[in-house]
Every structure is written in structure tokens, then in C-alpha cells.
Amino acid sequence: MKKMFSLAAMFAVLSYATPASADVTLNGEIGLRLRDDFGSTTSVANVKASPEDQYIQYRVRLKPSVDLGDGYFAKALFQNEAVAGGWNSLSPNNTEQYQIQASQFFFGHGDASSHWVVGRIPLNSFDNPILDLTLYAIPGAGPQGTRLYAVDTPISTNHFDRLLGFNYGTKIGDGELNAVVVNFDNVSSAAADKGLFNDGYGFTANYKANIGDVTIVPQGFVTLTHLADGRAPYSFGTQAFIPAGKSKISLSGFYTGDNNTVPNSTAKYDYSGYIFRVKGESGPVLAWVDYNRTKDNVGAITYNNTFVWAQYLIKVQESNKGTFTLQPTIRYRASGSKTDAGLSTTNDLFRTELYATVSF
């Protein structure tokens, strides 16, 4: 906690910089979350289990930003990265230590026609599942090695919605092109002969344009080298944002595939999958439904995942100084797998959550 307060004090001092200094602003949030988990699993041997759990978690985020003038800026996000989403759980007798790390940090320049950003940049993955599908098309086979799914926002929650990279955007015609080169890791292959570009690199791009009142964003991702586990996936698809009076509807559809032999190994990846999302937002209500299906030809397994997220935002207090909100949320994931031989498993999870957040 001492480290956290030291950081807060430092940013508070910086915010009072002299007129000759850069314009520094500090924002942030403090949140509490009450979560109830209701699981339901069935193994290949037809062994059933229904684990349940309730826990209270907390999270602190600090968001300094710097305006250097003439379009130049720098931003950062400090939070705890010891647990998914930065949500810390309690240790016996509240003896846990809450550490804050630099999660995002980037600088860049923007004007009316173009922008560039470099650093550990945010991905906006909570609203865009292309990298969720790319890295977790096969449950549990992603970079973290845990049983994560393409649904349930793993990039936003478990990867903290950022990657080290360089983003460039510019207006082309009536739309805007955005391109990002990302560095996934520096240890991406067990190959004996490690070349200059043996690390994990990827490239993603999208083009945002309007057709009438509808915004269309076609996009794609390609692995330039390969990931740490030897995969070299690619993905492509589109998003559509449709206004409906005071409400908003968005549709997302992405396809991914990989047919790659791991360097200096007999291990091979051969799979394909897709994800569809229908999302609606009207006033304080936000909800979406995801469906993901992946066929793993090497493992002879088909995975099916359905996910529902629904929330209601209650503004208890709102002013130019900050907000205090309550947000009841429901999350449900129905996951299953079936081998070509007919063996199947299920792993479902229903969650109820209540968020209390102060933003400043």
C-alpha cells in the first residue's frame, strides 16, 4: 500500500507543474466487486461437478496523461497485474499486499489527418474479439497456458488489454486506416538456430468507413513470425455498428486458422474457427451474445462456446469531479468439446457480479 500511496502522491505533485512544464492530468478509479460463481462440469468419464464460490475483490487504477503541446502526448495506466483484470482477492486476515505496476504506457502524436502511438498500447479488446479468437481458438492452448476461452474477453481480462507495439492511423478517402505492429514476446521458439526475427511479431490492420448511418470496420491479423508455442495464426473479419434511435447495435464476425509445423519439431497445428457477436446498448443497459466454434484437426476435437454478458449501470453520483456507479452484471459461459470418436466434456460457468466504482 505504501507504494500505491507514493505513486498517488507523485502524480499529485506533477499535476501542479508550472506553466512552463507539460500539462499533466491524473485520473483513476477505485472499485469493489462482489462475485458469485456457479460452475457445472462433466468429464470424459461422465463425472459431474458443481463448484460454487463467492468472493469480494477490489481494484485501484491510476491514469496519468501528459499534453506536450502541438499534438504530442503521453499516457499510462497503473494497476495490479498479479491477478486477472487487476481484481485483488483477500488473504487470511487481510494480509495480502496490493502492488501497482505500469500496465500501459505509450506516447505519440495526433492531428486532424493522422496519428501515431508507440509503447504498451491499449487494444480495445473488450469491444473487439479478433485477438480473443486469434490466441484462444483452442481453449487452454493460448499464451498463458490456462483454460481460457475465445469468449469471456480473455485479452481484456487476462492480458490486461495491451501489447507492445506501434500504431499508425491516417485518413484514406472517406474512411480511416489503422495499422499496428505488435511484439508478443522475445522467446518465441525453441528452434536451435535463432535468427534475428525469431521473436513473436504480429500485424493487424482495419479500415473504418461509413455506409449511410452504418459504420463498417473490416480488419485482419497475421502472425509475421510465430508465437512462443510455435503457432502462426491468422484472422480476418468485420464489425458493423448500427444506430437504432437512442440505442446502438453492433455485429462482429471473425474467422481464424493455423496450419503450421513448429520450427525444429514434429509438432503441428491444424485448426480453424470462428466467433460471432451480437451486441446491444440502450441507455444504462449493455448486453451481448458470443458464439465460438473451433475444429482442431490434430486433436480431432470440436469446441463449442456460447457466452452471454448483461449489465445495468446505475449512476449514484455524477459531477465534473467524478462519478460513483453501481453495476449489476450477469455472465454465463456454456462450453463443450466433442472428439471425433464421440467423447464429450462440458465446462459451464454462471456468474453474478455487483461492481461499485468511483472514477475521478
Side-chain angles (χ1 to χ4, degrees):
M1 293 297 290
K2 290 182 178 180
K3 182 182 291 185
M4 182 185 72
F5 288 127
S6 297
L7 282 169
M10 178 185 71
F11 291 128
V13 171
L14 287 174
S15 66
Y16 287 97
T18 64
S21 303
D23 185 6
V24 180
T25 303
L26 175 64
N27 300 112
E29 68 178 49
I30 299 172
L32 291 175
R33 179 173 72 178
L34 172 65
R35 169 181 281 182
D36 292 331
D37 285 1
F38 304 91
S40 177
T41 64
T42 306
S43 69
V44 175
N46 202 34
V47 177
K48 300 180 183 296
S50 301
E52 297 181 0
D53 195 10
Q54 180 184 80
Y55 40 101
I56 299 175
Q57 297 176 302
Y58 58 90
R59 180 172 72 180
V60 178
R61 286 176 162 181
L62 298 174
K63 305 174 183 179
S65 60
V66 180
D67 183 356
L68 300 174
D70 297 325
Y72 289 91
F73 62 89
K75 295 183 179 182
L77 168 63
F78 291 83
Q79 66 174 347
N80 180 18
E81 290 203 351
V83 288
W87 291 97
N88 210 72
S89 297
L90 300 179
S91 297
N93 301 313
N94 283 222
T95 55
E96 75 281 352
Q97 293 184 343
Y98 192 82
Q99 303 293 331
I100 286 188
Q101 300 91 24
S103 181
Q104 298 174 9
F105 42 87
F106 52 94
F107 59 88
H109 177 270
D111 56 33
S113 61
S114 65
H115 70 267
W116 60 266
V117 178
V118 63
R120 231 179 186 183
I121 57 179
L123 301 172
N124 191 34
S125 58
F126 187 78
D127 296 316
N128 187 346
I130 185 171
L131 281 180
D132 293 325
L133 178 67
T134 301
L135 296 186
Y136 290 100
I138 299 178
Q144 293 202 354
T146 56
R147 196 160 182 77
L148 299 178
Y149 296 82
V151 295
D152 204 4
T153 65
I155 302 302
S156 176
T157 302
N158 296 80
H159 290 257
F160 302 100
D161 193 42
R162 66 344 182 230
L163 281 172
L164 184 68
F166 173 78
N167 165 241
Y168 178 76
T170 185
K171 290 185 176 180
I172 297 180
D174 295 330
E176 181 179 353
L177 175 68
N178 267 285
V180 186
V181 177
V182 297
N183 183 197
F184 284 101
D185 54 69
N186 289 319
V187 289
S188 61
S189 176
D193 182 14
K194 296 185 176 182
L196 181 63
F197 295 106
N198 186 66
D199 305 323
Y201 294 97
F203 174 80
T204 182
N206 66 67
Y207 183 75
K208 183 179 181 180
N210 292 326
I211 302 177
D213 293 334
V214 179
T215 301
I216 304 294
V217 191
Q219 51 200 286
F221 170 86
V222 60
T223 307
L224 299 177
T225 52
H226 40 73
L227 305 182
D229 55 11
R231 288 186 300 145
Y234 60 90
S235 303
F236 59 87
T238 190
Q239 290 185 291
F241 301 90
I242 308 166
K246 296 183 179 180
S247 303
K248 295 183 289 184
I249 299 173
S250 64
L251 307 174
S252 303
F254 295 101
Y255 172 89
T256 192
D258 191 359
N259 192 336
N260 177 57
T261 300
V262 179
N264 289 355
S265 173
T266 59
K268 182 177 177 60
Y269 291 99
D270 182 9
Y271 63 85
S272 61
Y274 56 82
I275 189 170
F276 293 116
R277 173 177 294 179
V278 179
K279 182 179 180 180
E281 184 175 359
S282 180
V285 178
L286 172 66
W288 78 76
V289 179
D290 284 347
Y291 176 70
N292 158 242
R293 183 181 186 276
T294 301
K295 172 63 176 178
D296 179 7
N297 296 314
V298 174
I301 303 175
T302 300
Y303 300 94
N304 289 281
N305 304 293
T306 302
F307 179 72
V308 177
W309 177 298
Q311 68 181 50
Y312 188 88
L313 185 65
I314 303 170
K315 294 182 179 180
V316 179
Q317 167 67 11
E318 183 177 22
S319 70
N320 58 0
K321 297 180 179 180
T323 62
F324 171 39
T325 62
L326 297 175
Q327 181 183 295
T329 303
I330 293 176
R331 301 164 66 179
Y332 175 65
R333 191 198 71 240
S335 300
S337 66
K338 188 173 183 178
T339 68
D340 291 354
L343 301 175
S344 62
T345 65
T346 63
N347 184 16
D348 303 342
L349 181 60
F350 177 73
R351 282 173 165 163
T352 62
E353 299 173 319
L354 178 61
Y355 296 78
T357 306
V358 173
S359 300
F360 55 89

